[in-house]
Amino acid sequence: MPGHFEPLPGGGAAVALDDVEISIIRSLAVQLLELIGPGPAEETPEDPLAELFAEGPSEPPADPVLRRLFPDAYGDPEATPGPQAAEEQRAHSSEFRRYTENDLRAGKRESALAVIRSLDVLTSAGDGGAVLKLAPEESKQWLGALNDLRLAIGSRLDISDEDDTDLLYRLPDEDPRKPMVMAYLWLGGLQESLVATLMP
């Protein structure tokens, strides 16, 4: 079980994590929460119905990580041939974003919070680590959060395809990106093993 998820009887997954791994995952999840930002309900707590009728942003985020987490629904208008087609694509993406981004952000926030909460209740196994046991629904939230964390780190590392990932293995140890690369690859292994445990 060390380093990868295994299925639990009756559904869900378990993984053994040491204190350093717990700290890294928790820290990354907190940073992800800060990046995603508060939801509409947190910004306007005096009006409980505001969230129901709140429209989201219509423009893509300026931060490249957020653009990776919340991409345009209809692709990159700059890659579309012809100015009229690009303008139509931009308008469609803008409309889609306005009505979906708040919900997408809420879902990503909830998954990151689920990761933090499940790590906060872990009790040490006595050897500087613990076994994390997740119910089926928690496993899905973890899967979403691990994916978001890898997308965020991958964006910071300028990873856009599998060829970029291959280059990461050859980075020299003195490269300042090395710790982020190691986290990216480790989270990828965790994510892959969690996907395998959730497949029927």
Side-chain angles (χ1 to χ4, degrees):
M1 184 187 313
H4 66 275
F5 281 94
E6 293 185 358
L8 287 173
V15 63
L17 298 170
D18 65 32
D19 288 343
V20 173
E21 292 169 331
I22 291 167
S23 176
I24 290 170
I25 296 172
R26 190 183 188 289
S27 174
L28 290 171
V30 168
Q31 290 176 54
L32 182 64
L33 273 178
E34 291 170 354
L35 182 66
I36 292 170
E42 295 156 278
E43 294 164 358
T44 56
E46 68 281 351
D47 185 359
L49 294 177
E51 188 176 359
L52 275 176
F53 301 105
E55 289 186 8
S58 58
E59 295 298 319
D63 187 305
V65 174
L66 288 174
R67 272 200 309 274
R68 187 86 174 266
L69 291 172
F70 305 103
D72 277 331
Y74 295 91
D76 182 7
E78 306 305 319
T80 304
Q84 184 175 352
E87 193 52 46
E88 284 178 13
Q89 187 172 329
R90 196 174 283 110
H92 292 310
S93 289
S94 176
E95 188 78 1
F96 186 84
R97 182 179 297 281
R98 186 173 326 140
Y99 294 109
T100 60
E101 188 168 312
N102 283 345
D103 287 341
L104 290 172
R105 282 182 184 259
K108 291 181 185 302
R109 259 193 309 277
E110 200 51 48
S111 292
L113 279 169
V115 166
I116 293 166
R117 289 178 186 133
S118 60
L119 293 174
D120 284 349
V121 299
L122 275 182
T123 54
S124 177
D127 56 357
V131 175
L132 174 70
K133 294 182 179 179
L134 301 172
E137 188 56 38
E138 290 174 309
S139 298
K140 291 176 188 170
Q141 290 178 309
W142 263 75
L143 189 57
L146 288 172
N147 186 60
D148 290 341
L149 289 172
R150 288 194 76 236
L151 284 173
I153 295 171
S155 179
R156 291 286 188 239
L157 292 170
D158 277 335
I159 297 170
S160 58
D161 59 34
E162 198 58 40
D163 291 339
D164 294 335
T165 305
D166 292 340
L167 294 173
L168 296 179
Y169 287 102
R170 295 192 289 275
L171 277 180
D173 288 343
E174 59 273 9
D175 192 301
R177 297 171 295 170
K178 191 72 172 190
M180 202 183 308
V181 167
M182 298 306 293
Y184 177 82
L185 297 172
W186 172 60
L187 290 172
L190 278 177
Q191 182 183 14
E192 193 174 309
S193 68
L194 184 52
V195 167
T197 67
L198 298 178
M199 292 179 74

